[in-house]
Amino acid sequence: MTSDTRQRASMLRVDQAGEYGATRIYAGQLAVMGQSSADARKIARMADQEARHRTLFDRMMVERGVRPTALQPLWNVAGFALGAATALIGPKAAMACTAAIETEIDRHYGEQLDQLGEDDPELSAAIGEFRAEELEHRDTAIKAGAEQAPAYPLLSGAIRLGCRIAIRLSRHI
Ligand SMILES: [Fe+2]
Ligand SMILES: [Fe+2]
């Protein structure tokens, strides 16, 4: 593999891990919140989009022979736990989780698009499209009261830090 191919494989690996993690976070939130409240319905809609993002990255990984992160079992449990824990604090904390994660993902996808330039139109198109939807998720979460969650700055800061660490780990492991 050339270094470019390796770099793009690593991008795909971390992105698939992130989208997978997102589906697990929302699954944890919906397990606590049920399906019927207005907030739960918003979360279910976002979860559907994450599932679509994940499916596309899954397919690209198969086509390109890129292995998934070995940390997938960890993101399975950690994502679900983060979702359930924030939903147990309350719906606004669940939304604060989304706002924090999507803020990091927007930055992460933006960096990837800069790095890719014109090198990989297929990957760039997927990242660009998903990034726009992640920003909608962030806006949805903020409109739903994310910033009124208890201890919002602390909660948000901790989740953003966790997200950055997860991105770093999934790039290589
Ligand atoms: Fe996504
Ligand atoms: Fe999202």
Side-chain angles (χ1 to χ4, degrees):
M1 270 198 211
T2 67
S3 66
D4 271 13
T5 318
R6 244 198 321 271
Q7 189 197 29
R8 280 182 275 147
S10 156
M11 283 185 183
L12 200 48
R13 179 173 304 121
V14 65
D15 293 353
Q16 189 270 352
E19 299 295 350
Y20 174 69
T23 65
R24 298 302 297 151
I25 291 170
Y26 288 137
Q29 292 182 338
L30 291 171
V32 170
M33 295 168 74
Q35 309 276 347
S36 53
S37 69
D39 284 327
R41 282 198 301 275
K42 283 177 199 150
I43 290 170
R45 262 198 303 277
M46 296 192 282
D48 283 346
Q49 289 183 314
E50 304 300 359
R52 213 186 106 246
H53 300 172
R54 186 208 159 176
T55 302
L56 187 92
F57 284 142
D58 279 350
R59 202 193 75 212
M60 286 175 70
M61 286 174 86
V62 171
E63 284 167 1
R64 296 176 180 210
V66 175
R67 67 163 177 83
T69 172
L71 297 173
Q72 194 117 332
L74 175 62
W75 302 148
N76 176 8
V77 175
F80 191 90
L82 176 63
T86 49
L88 282 169
I89 300 171
K92 289 188 167 60
M95 293 297 180
C97 177
T98 291
I101 300 260
E102 302 298 17
T103 299
E104 288 304 318
I105 298 306
D106 172 54
R107 193 185 49 80
H108 166 72
Y109 279 161
E111 280 172 15
Q112 285 193 337
L113 288 173
D114 288 346
Q115 280 170 33
L116 282 170
E118 310 291 313
D119 292 348
D120 191 334
E122 187 195 22
L123 184 55
S124 289
I127 292 171
E129 185 193 327
F130 298 167
R131 184 191 191 193
E133 292 185 348
E134 312 303 4
L135 281 173
E136 286 173 22
H137 296 173
R138 190 188 66 186
D139 294 346
T140 299
I142 288 174
K143 274 202 209 99
E147 289 162 331
Q148 284 109 54
Y152 176 72
L154 187 68
L155 183 67
S156 173
I159 293 171
R160 287 180 62 172
L161 178 64
C163 185
R164 286 201 295 274
I165 292 170
I167 288 171
R168 285 219 159 166
L169 290 172
S170 299
R171 245 177 225 153
H172 302 294
I173 301 177

